[in-house]
Each structure stands twice: as C-alpha cells, then as structure tokens.
Amino acid sequence: MKKRILSVFGTRPEAIKMAPLVKEISGRADLEGLVCISGQHKEMLEQVMTCFNIHADYDLAIMKQNQTLYDITCNVIREMEKVLSAAKPDVVLVHGDTTTSYAAAVAAFYRQIPVGHVEAGLRTYNLNSPFPEEFNRQSIGLIAKYHFAPTAWAKQNLINERKNPSDVYVTGNTVIDALHMTVEKDFMHPLLDFTGNDRLILVTAHRRENLGAKMEEMFQAILRIATDFHDVKVVFPIHKNPAVREIADRIFSDCSKIKLCEPLNPFDFHNIMNRAYIVLTDSGGLQEEAPAFGVPVFVMRDTTERPEAISAGTAKLVGTEAETIYREVSRVLDDASEYQKMSLAQNPFGDGRAAVRITDILMNRL
Ligand code: UD1
Ligand code: UDP
C-alpha cells in the first residue's frame, strides 16, 4: 500500500516553501500526496497555487477580514478533524510557524497521527517576537515526530531541546528549491520599467507585532530614503492586511518615487528581487531569499530566527526605529565597498535539493 502524506498549509510563505515538496512527493510512485489548504490567506494563497500549479484536495476556506488568532486556531482545528477522518494520512506535514501550521499539528496530535515539521528548529526564544510565531514553532516542535531543519544551527536548537537526534535532519530550506523553479535570466516587468536605471529598493512588511506605531516609523524611514537619494526607487507590493494598507497609503501616497502595488505572484516577486539593489523587510522568508540572490537585506525587526544570514553578512537587523533604519540603509547606499561586502556574502540556506532529501527520509521512515 502506498503511504499517504497529507501536506497542510494556509498562507503565502508556507505555500511557496511547500510547493517543491508537494511536487516531489507527487512524483514518487510509492507515495500518495494529498494537499489540504486552510485558506488562512485567500488571494495571496491562490497566487501561489496558480504559480506552482498545485491543486488542493481539501480547502478549509477559513479566511475572514481582520481575523483573530482565535478565529484561525479554532476553525483550523475543528475543520481538520473532518479532513483527517476522510484522508487517513500516515503522516501530516506542516511548515514553519503560522497559526495554520500550529493548529493543524494539534489536530493531527489529537488523532495520534505523526507530524513532520518542515523548516523546524528556528528560534528567537522570545515568545513576543515574532508573535505568535515563536510560540507556534516551539509548540509544533513539541508535537512533531520528524524535524526537517534547514540548517545546522536549527538542528542544534532542537538537540538542545532534547529532541531525539535520530529524528532531526538537516535538509536545507525548500525556499531555495522554490527559487530554482521561478527565477529566469530574461525577465521583464513594468515595475522594472518604473525603476529604470535607478537603484531598486524592494520593500515588504506585515508582522503583527509591528502593526501600528512601529510600522509608521519603518515607513517614515523609507519615505526619507526615497526622498534623499535621487537615484533610488522603491517598489512595495503591499500585503492584503488592511491594517498595513492604511498606514502605507497614508505615508506614501504623495511620493512618486515609491510604487505601491498589489502582492505579486512569486514568479514576478522572485525575479524582481533578483534585480533589486537592496531589500527592506520584516518578513521571515525574504531573509532567506535575498541572500540567495546576493541582495543585501535590512530586517526591520528586533529579533531574528535566521541568524545565519546575519553571520554570513548579507542581512542586518535594524529594528523598527526610523532613525536607525535610515542611518543603516544610507550607509550602504552611500558606500560601494560596504555594499559589496554585504552582496558578496554566501547563501547559507541550502542547495535547492531540500525537497528531495525530505521525501527520501519520509520514504525510509514510513
Ligand atoms: C500570517 C501569519 C504569519 C506569516 C504571514 C505571511 C499567523 C498568525 N500569521 O500573517 O506568520 O508570516 O501570514 O504573510 O499565522 N488578507 C486578505 N487576503 C489574503 C491574506 C490576508 O485579505 O490573501 C487580510 C485579511 O484581512 C486577514 C489579514 O490580511 O484577516 C491578516 O491575515 P493573517 O493570515 O491573519 O495574518 P498575516 O499578517 O497575513
Ligand atoms: N512574496 C510574493 N509576493 C509578494 C511578496 C512576497 O510572492 O508580493 C513571497 C516572497 O518571495 C516569500 C514569501 O512571499 O517567499 C514571504 O511571505 P511573507 O513575507 O508574507 O511571510 P513570512 O515569510 O514573513 O512568513
């Protein structure tokens, strides 16, 4: 009998990073791959499903505007009970640290179905930062039987937490596999026409703990950078969260050097990042992608669970205060040798074969 693997995800980044794995599993004759989407994200998830041509066998369709953590957690756990009864998987795969992943892991645990955690072992050990993701990933770590750590550092965190070393694997991050599926040499896009010969700063922001005053500070710094540097243009595909949109519209609407746009599909986004001069973000995934392109990334957060990019030299943690962000970014915009140092650093997140490794391990273990 074929072993049945149910992959569960619900947000844009999970879908991008699970896509290579879903594809790899579906190509193995001894495995039956099933996909369940929670629909924690809607439009932003659909973009990824279309881009990677992935079909969902189950859709919990839970998203509502301004959803709370209670909404997501309760709805996913309740709906997953039905999916697990119907699908009867041998293993449930979840990714990273979203509330979909946490709730799906809990639902599998209640049925005593083994959980495989993809992108396991990332830690800040600060439950408030990022919130609620640090809690989510530590909780999934408690439940999971198989831990797929992207790096040796992540593996060590899990070993320090007394996980069984024989259940912890260093696989690389599947995001690098995804980049191998999206990035093209000859890429054209109207947003690149907007940038022209100027230096492109690519911006994203969405973290729950940054919404409000911190995000205002972040955006004020970006406005000042765009105004002060004559050869810089900013492209900011805005997250669908209305709370982010309100602040961005208010602060950026009068600046012609800043282009706000709808979220881009991963194909366009990755190719535009490949051509960016620098990235400014509070995102998790961009801290892995930018180093893969050799694009310096300024992380507008107080903590990071991805210190590898900082050690490698491609990423800088700059917090959320306008003055610090402006100073750090200006230094690199002003100084070509500082820029070179950051852009020549090595990508520490893998070789693009993480999905193959994870699937091989599952074939052996199931
Ligand atoms: C979620 C994850 C976060 C992850 C991020 C990736 C949790 C608690 N948070 O945060 O870890 O980094 O996704 O982007 O799991 N919305 C839409 N359409 C969409 C997506 C979102 O309208 O396609 C709006 C809705 O109003 C929704 C709001 O954005 O209520 C926030 O979405 P939500 O998933 O709750 O939080 P994120 O900040 O996206
Ligand atoms: N991304 C995208 N389109 C966009 C912005 C981001 O496809 O307009 C991709 C990006 O390449 C990365 C992922 O979305 O793979 C990051 O998602 P997000 O920042 O929403 O979440 P996080 O990584 O912080 O959990």
mmCIF file with all atom_site columns, all heavy atoms in Angstrom, residues 114-126:
data_model
loop_
_atom_site.group_PDB
_atom_site.id
_atom_site.type_symbol
_atom_site.label_atom_id
_atom_site.label_alt_id
_atom_site.label_comp_id
_atom_site.label_asym_id
_atom_site.label_entity_id
_atom_site.label_seq_id
_atom_site.pdbx_PDB_ins_code
_atom_site.Cartn_x
_atom_site.Cartn_y
_atom_site.Cartn_z
_atom_site.occupancy
_atom_site.B_iso_or_equiv
_atom_site.pdbx_formal_charge
_atom_site.auth_seq_id
_atom_site.auth_comp_id
_atom_site.auth_asym_id
_atom_site.auth_atom_id
_atom_site.pdbx_PDB_model_num
ATOM 1  N N   . PRO A 1 114 ? 1.370  10.903 13.141 1.00 0.00 ? 114 PRO A N   1
ATOM 2  C CA  . PRO A 1 114 ? 2.697  11.535 13.192 1.00 0.00 ? 114 PRO A CA  1
ATOM 3  C C   . PRO A 1 114 ? 2.748  12.821 12.367 1.00 0.00 ? 114 PRO A C   1
ATOM 4  O O   . PRO A 1 114 ? 2.134  12.908 11.300 1.00 0.00 ? 114 PRO A O   1
ATOM 5  C CB  . PRO A 1 114 ? 3.630  10.485 12.581 1.00 0.00 ? 114 PRO A CB  1
ATOM 6  C CG  . PRO A 1 114 ? 2.854  9.225  12.540 1.00 0.00 ? 114 PRO A CG  1
ATOM 7  C CD  . PRO A 1 114 ? 1.402  9.553  12.587 1.00 0.00 ? 114 PRO A CD  1
ATOM 8  N N   . VAL A 1 115 ? 3.496  13.783 12.897 1.00 0.00 ? 115 VAL A N   1
ATOM 9  C CA  . VAL A 1 115 ? 3.652  15.081 12.222 1.00 0.00 ? 115 VAL A CA  1
ATOM 10 C C   . VAL A 1 115 ? 5.097  15.243 11.787 1.00 0.00 ? 115 VAL A C   1
ATOM 11 O O   . VAL A 1 115 ? 6.024  14.966 12.550 1.00 0.00 ? 115 VAL A O   1
ATOM 12 C CB  . VAL A 1 115 ? 3.260  16.232 13.189 1.00 0.00 ? 115 VAL A CB  1
ATOM 13 C CG1 . VAL A 1 115 ? 3.653  17.589 12.621 1.00 0.00 ? 115 VAL A CG1 1
ATOM 14 C CG2 . VAL A 1 115 ? 1.759  16.198 13.491 1.00 0.00 ? 115 VAL A CG2 1
ATOM 15 N N   . GLY A 1 116 ? 5.282  15.684 10.546 1.00 0.00 ? 116 GLY A N   1
ATOM 16 C CA  . GLY A 1 116 ? 6.612  16.073 10.068 1.00 0.00 ? 116 GLY A CA  1
ATOM 17 C C   . GLY A 1 116 ? 6.653  17.589 9.984  1.00 0.00 ? 116 GLY A C   1
ATOM 18 O O   . GLY A 1 116 ? 5.758  18.215 9.414  1.00 0.00 ? 116 GLY A O   1
ATOM 19 N N   . HIS A 1 117 ? 7.687  18.186 10.594 1.00 0.00 ? 117 HIS A N   1
ATOM 20 C CA  . HIS A 1 117 ? 7.784  19.651 10.634 1.00 0.00 ? 117 HIS A CA  1
ATOM 21 C C   . HIS A 1 117 ? 8.866  20.116 9.659  1.00 0.00 ? 117 HIS A C   1
ATOM 22 O O   . HIS A 1 117 ? 10.055 19.837 9.859  1.00 0.00 ? 117 HIS A O   1
ATOM 23 C CB  . HIS A 1 117 ? 8.112  20.100 12.059 1.00 0.00 ? 117 HIS A CB  1
ATOM 24 C CG  . HIS A 1 117 ? 8.014  21.578 12.262 1.00 0.00 ? 117 HIS A CG  1
ATOM 25 N ND1 . HIS A 1 117 ? 8.533  22.219 13.359 1.00 0.00 ? 117 HIS A ND1 1
ATOM 26 C CD2 . HIS A 1 117 ? 7.441  22.551 11.508 1.00 0.00 ? 117 HIS A CD2 1
ATOM 27 C CE1 . HIS A 1 117 ? 8.297  23.515 13.265 1.00 0.00 ? 117 HIS A CE1 1
ATOM 28 N NE2 . HIS A 1 117 ? 7.637  23.740 12.151 1.00 0.00 ? 117 HIS A NE2 1
ATOM 29 N N   . VAL A 1 118 ? 8.421  20.787 8.622  1.00 0.00 ? 118 VAL A N   1
ATOM 30 C CA  . VAL A 1 118 ? 9.340  21.326 7.619  1.00 0.00 ? 118 VAL A CA  1
ATOM 31 C C   . VAL A 1 118 ? 9.728  22.737 8.057  1.00 0.00 ? 118 VAL A C   1
ATOM 32 O O   . VAL A 1 118 ? 8.865  23.524 8.439  1.00 0.00 ? 118 VAL A O   1
ATOM 33 C CB  . VAL A 1 118 ? 8.656  21.366 6.229  1.00 0.00 ? 118 VAL A CB  1
ATOM 34 C CG1 . VAL A 1 118 ? 9.623  21.897 5.170  1.00 0.00 ? 118 VAL A CG1 1
ATOM 35 C CG2 . VAL A 1 118 ? 8.131  19.983 5.848  1.00 0.00 ? 118 VAL A CG2 1
ATOM 36 N N   . GLU A 1 119 ? 11.012 23.054 7.950  1.00 0.00 ? 119 GLU A N   1
ATOM 37 C CA  . GLU A 1 119 ? 11.591 24.298 8.476  1.00 0.00 ? 119 GLU A CA  1
ATOM 38 C C   . GLU A 1 119 ? 11.496 24.312 10.010 1.00 0.00 ? 119 GLU A C   1
ATOM 39 O O   . GLU A 1 119 ? 10.987 25.233 10.633 1.00 0.00 ? 119 GLU A O   1
ATOM 40 C CB  . GLU A 1 119 ? 10.937 25.548 7.884  1.00 0.00 ? 119 GLU A CB  1
ATOM 41 C CG  . GLU A 1 119 ? 11.800 26.800 8.019  1.00 0.00 ? 119 GLU A CG  1
ATOM 42 C CD  . GLU A 1 119 ? 11.139 28.052 7.456  1.00 0.00 ? 119 GLU A CD  1
ATOM 43 O OE1 . GLU A 1 119 ? 10.392 28.706 8.191  1.00 0.00 ? 119 GLU A OE1 1
ATOM 44 O OE2 . GLU A 1 119 ? 11.376 28.375 6.274  1.00 0.00 ? 119 GLU A OE2 1
ATOM 45 N N   . ALA A 1 120 ? 12.011 23.235 10.591 1.00 0.00 ? 120 ALA A N   1
ATOM 46 C CA  . ALA A 1 120 ? 11.977 23.074 12.049 1.00 0.00 ? 120 ALA A CA  1
ATOM 47 C C   . ALA A 1 120 ? 13.204 23.720 12.692 1.00 0.00 ? 120 ALA A C   1
ATOM 48 O O   . ALA A 1 120 ? 14.247 23.868 12.056 1.00 0.00 ? 120 ALA A O   1
ATOM 49 C CB  . ALA A 1 120 ? 11.951 21.589 12.384 1.00 0.00 ? 120 ALA A CB  1
ATOM 50 N N   . GLY A 1 121 ? 13.054 24.098 13.962 1.00 0.00 ? 121 GLY A N   1
ATOM 51 C CA  . GLY A 1 121 ? 14.204 24.496 14.771 1.00 0.00 ? 121 GLY A CA  1
ATOM 52 C C   . GLY A 1 121 ? 14.584 25.961 14.733 1.00 0.00 ? 121 GLY A C   1
ATOM 53 O O   . GLY A 1 121 ? 15.545 26.362 15.382 1.00 0.00 ? 121 GLY A O   1
ATOM 54 N N   . LEU A 1 122 ? 13.821 26.800 13.977 1.00 0.00 ? 122 LEU A N   1
ATOM 55 C CA  . LEU A 1 122 ? 14.109 28.241 14.010 1.00 0.00 ? 122 LEU A CA  1
ATOM 56 C C   . LEU A 1 122 ? 13.648 28.779 15.364 1.00 0.00 ? 122 LEU A C   1
ATOM 57 O O   . LEU A 1 122 ? 12.571 28.418 15.845 1.00 0.00 ? 122 LEU A O   1
ATOM 58 C CB  . LEU A 1 122 ? 13.387 28.961 12.869 1.00 0.00 ? 122 LEU A CB  1
ATOM 59 C CG  . LEU A 1 122 ? 14.085 28.935 11.508 1.00 0.00 ? 122 LEU A CG  1
ATOM 60 C CD1 . LEU A 1 122 ? 14.234 27.534 10.977 1.00 0.00 ? 122 LEU A CD1 1
ATOM 61 C CD2 . LEU A 1 122 ? 13.317 29.785 10.504 1.00 0.00 ? 122 LEU A CD2 1
ATOM 62 N N   . ARG A 1 123 ? 14.439 29.618 15.964 1.00 0.00 ? 123 ARG A N   1
ATOM 63 C CA  . ARG A 1 123 ? 14.096 30.094 17.308 1.00 0.00 ? 123 ARG A CA  1
ATOM 64 C C   . ARG A 1 123 ? 14.585 31.527 17.533 1.00 0.00 ? 123 ARG A C   1
ATOM 65 O O   . ARG A 1 123 ? 15.687 31.882 17.090 1.00 0.00 ? 123 ARG A O   1
ATOM 66 C CB  . ARG A 1 123 ? 14.779 29.233 18.384 1.00 0.00 ? 123 ARG A CB  1
ATOM 67 C CG  . ARG A 1 123 ? 14.355 27.779 18.459 1.00 0.00 ? 123 ARG A CG  1
ATOM 68 C CD  . ARG A 1 123 ? 12.950 27.616 19.034 1.00 0.00 ? 123 ARG A CD  1
ATOM 69 N NE  . ARG A 1 123 ? 12.605 26.212 19.194 1.00 0.00 ? 123 ARG A NE  1
ATOM 70 C CZ  . ARG A 1 123 ? 11.969 25.475 18.259 1.00 0.00 ? 123 ARG A CZ  1
ATOM 71 N NH1 . ARG A 1 123 ? 11.600 26.027 17.115 1.00 0.00 ? 123 ARG A NH1 1
ATOM 72 N NH2 . ARG A 1 123 ? 11.693 24.202 18.501 1.00 0.00 ? 123 ARG A NH2 1
ATOM 73 N N   . THR A 1 124 ? 13.777 32.312 18.286 1.00 0.00 ? 124 THR A N   1
ATOM 74 C CA  . THR A 1 124 ? 14.300 33.521 18.922 1.00 0.00 ? 124 THR A CA  1
ATOM 75 C C   . THR A 1 124 ? 14.292 33.349 20.443 1.00 0.00 ? 124 THR A C   1
ATOM 76 O O   . THR A 1 124 ? 14.908 34.124 21.156 1.00 0.00 ? 124 THR A O   1
ATOM 77 C CB  . THR A 1 124 ? 13.432 34.761 18.601 1.00 0.00 ? 124 THR A CB  1
ATOM 78 O OG1 . THR A 1 124 ? 12.116 34.534 19.114 1.00 0.00 ? 124 THR A OG1 1
ATOM 79 C CG2 . THR A 1 124 ? 13.374 35.060 17.120 1.00 0.00 ? 124 THR A CG2 1
ATOM 80 N N   . TYR A 1 125 ? 13.541 32.368 20.925 1.00 0.00 ? 125 TYR A N   1
ATOM 81 C CA  . TYR A 1 125 ? 13.297 32.145 22.348 1.00 0.00 ? 125 TYR A CA  1
ATOM 82 C C   . TYR A 1 125 ? 12.697 33.376 23.019 1.00 0.00 ? 125 TYR A C   1
ATOM 83 O O   . TYR A 1 125 ? 12.869 33.594 24.206 1.00 0.00 ? 125 TYR A O   1
ATOM 84 C CB  . TYR A 1 125 ? 14.565 31.667 23.073 1.00 0.00 ? 125 TYR A CB  1
ATOM 85 C CG  . TYR A 1 125 ? 14.958 30.276 22.609 1.00 0.00 ? 125 TYR A CG  1
ATOM 86 C CD1 . TYR A 1 125 ? 16.047 30.080 21.781 1.00 0.00 ? 125 TYR A CD1 1
ATOM 87 C CD2 . TYR A 1 125 ? 14.183 29.174 22.957 1.00 0.00 ? 125 TYR A CD2 1
ATOM 88 C CE1 . TYR A 1 125 ? 16.377 28.808 21.324 1.00 0.00 ? 125 TYR A CE1 1
ATOM 89 C CE2 . TYR A 1 125 ? 14.497 27.903 22.500 1.00 0.00 ? 125 TYR A CE2 1
ATOM 90 C CZ  . TYR A 1 125 ? 15.592 27.726 21.687 1.00 0.00 ? 125 TYR A CZ  1
ATOM 91 O OH  . TYR A 1 125 ? 15.899 26.465 21.229 1.00 0.00 ? 125 TYR A OH  1
ATOM 92 N N   . ASN A 1 126 ? 11.986 34.182 22.238 1.00 0.00 ? 126 ASN A N   1
ATOM 93 C CA  . ASN A 1 126 ? 11.235 35.316 22.781 1.00 0.00 ? 126 ASN A CA  1
ATOM 94 C C   . ASN A 1 126 ? 9.793  35.156 22.288 1.00 0.00 ? 126 ASN A C   1
ATOM 95 O O   . ASN A 1 126 ? 9.509  35.370 21.109 1.00 0.00 ? 126 ASN A O   1
ATOM 96 C CB  . ASN A 1 126 ? 11.857 36.615 22.271 1.00 0.00 ? 126 ASN A CB  1
ATOM 97 C CG  . ASN A 1 126 ? 11.069 37.847 22.723 1.00 0.00 ? 126 ASN A CG  1
ATOM 98 O OD1 . ASN A 1 126 ? 9.952  37.745 23.223 1.00 0.00 ? 126 ASN A OD1 1
ATOM 99 N ND2 . ASN A 1 126 ? 11.669 39.015 22.535 1.00 0.00 ? 126 ASN A ND2 1
#
